[in-house]
């Protein structure tokens, strides 16, 4: 029997958590949510579980996602990877096990003058591309999500990093808070479930 989850009004990442638990018991599922961030997050989770997903926008500005897991349906290429990291040490470098994750928590780098902080971030993201080893993931949250919008001074640098294989996660709750849903131009709108998991599994966390 198809299960129905009413996730309207639930804070991130509750819609994802409820969907994940239900998929452990059900092969067919409908989920009702009330914001675009939740739609994208549930879609990503469903595809990672090998489910086909259809989305129906309702008249009351909510969305119903229908999830069906069928035998032979492969997981999306964008599915979260299961990575077994092996500690590797090269001469002159510290022993680090796990991915390198950079946390961007503001739209200005450091504390003090905001104009200077924005200038520093322009140099930071440009310099990242020149490093021998790129970070594995960059997570943008709080006002840091403003760096991923269409008119951001560092947008092109972040896009270059994404094209080079760096995973870009953008906090969905923060995007909704700042009303930036239609302006995000790079990365994946994510949720606290994924963000907390990325921090937990990181071998190195950097907050510039």
């Amino acid at each position: 029997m198809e299960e129905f989850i009413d996730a309207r009004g639930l804070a991130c990442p509750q819609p994802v958590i409820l969907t994940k638990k239900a998929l452990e018991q059900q092969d067919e599922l409908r989920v009702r949510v009330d914001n675009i961030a939740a739609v994208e997050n549930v879609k990503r989770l469903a595809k990672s579980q090998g489910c086909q997903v259809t989305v129906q926008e309702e008249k009351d500005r909510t969305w119903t996602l229908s999830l069906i897991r069928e035998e032979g349906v492969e997981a999306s290429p964008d599915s979260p990877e299961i990575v077994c990291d092996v500690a590797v040490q090269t001469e002159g470098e510290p022993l680090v096990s796990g991915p390198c994750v950079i946390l961007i928590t503001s739209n200005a780098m450091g504390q003090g003058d905001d104009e200077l902080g924005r200038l520093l971030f322009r140099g930071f993201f440009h310099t990242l591309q020149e490093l021998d080893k790129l970070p594995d993931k960059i997570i943008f949250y709080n006002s840091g999500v403003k760096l991923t919008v269409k008119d951001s001074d560092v947008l092109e640098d972040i896009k270059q990093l994404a094209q080079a294989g760096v995973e870009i996660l953008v906090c969905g709750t923060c995007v909704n808070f700042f009303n930036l849903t239609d302006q995000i131009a790079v990365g994946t709108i994510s949720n606290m479930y994924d963000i907390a998991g990325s921090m937990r599994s990181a071998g190195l966390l950097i907050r510039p």
Side-chain angles (χ1 to χ4, degrees):
M1 179 181 297
E2 183 182 61
E3 183 173 345
F4 176 75
I5 294 176
D6 187 353
R8 292 173 295 178
L10 297 182
C12 173
Q14 287 302 314
V16 174
I17 293 174
L18 292 175
T19 302
K20 185 174 187 297
K21 289 182 178 179
L23 285 174
E24 293 173 357
Q25 306 294 329
Q26 302 286 337
D27 290 329
E28 295 188 20
L29 181 67
R30 286 190 304 130
V31 183
R32 180 75 62 84
V33 296
D34 58 5
N35 63 83
I36 289 294
V39 171
E40 294 302 319
N41 289 329
V42 172
K43 282 172 59 178
R44 288 178 57 233
L45 172 69
K47 290 179 180 179
S48 77
Q49 301 297 310
C51 294
Q52 294 180 333
V53 186
T54 58
V55 180
Q56 174 68 45
E57 184 173 356
E58 310 294 347
K59 294 181 179 179
D60 59 350
R61 191 59 181 173
T62 63
W63 292 262
T64 300
L65 295 92
S66 298
L67 286 56
I68 301 177
R69 177 160 42 209
E70 295 182 341
E71 185 176 353
V73 176
E74 296 182 358
S76 166
D78 296 326
S79 302
E81 294 182 348
I82 300 175
V83 180
C84 298
D85 293 296
V86 178
V88 177
Q89 185 175 24
T90 57
E91 185 176 355
E93 293 185 352
L95 180 64
V96 175
S97 175
C100 173
V101 178
I102 296 179
L103 308 177
I104 305 298
T105 64
S106 172
N107 61 338
M109 187 174 183
Q111 297 180 343
D113 187 86
D114 286 345
E115 184 177 354
L116 173 60
R118 288 189 287 271
L119 178 64
L120 291 174
F121 257 147
R122 287 201 293 270
F124 175 77
F125 283 107
H126 185 73
T127 302
L128 272 184
Q129 301 175 61
E130 307 300 324
L131 299 180
D132 292 336
K133 182 173 175 56
L134 295 175
D136 297 282
K137 187 177 299 187
I138 304 177
I139 301 174
F140 295 82
Y141 59 94
N142 209 312
S143 63
V145 300
K146 296 180 180 180
L147 298 178
T148 65
V149 300
K150 297 174 183 177
D151 61 352
S152 166
D153 291 338
V154 296
L155 177 61
E156 292 306 315
D157 287 320
I158 298 173
K159 283 185 174 180
Q160 289 294 324
L161 289 165
Q163 291 173 7
V166 178
E167 184 177 3
I168 307 296
L169 296 184
V170 184
C171 168
T173 299
C174 308
V175 169
N176 286 336
F177 181 85
F178 291 113
N179 295 317
L180 297 174
T181 301
D182 297 331
Q183 300 182 48
I184 300 302
V186 65
T188 300
I189 295 180
S190 190
N191 57 78
M192 199 52 66
Y193 186 85
D194 286 346
I195 290 173
S198 296
M199 292 181 181
R200 174 64 181 82
S201 62
L204 180 63
L205 280 173
I206 300 173
R207 191 174 78 172

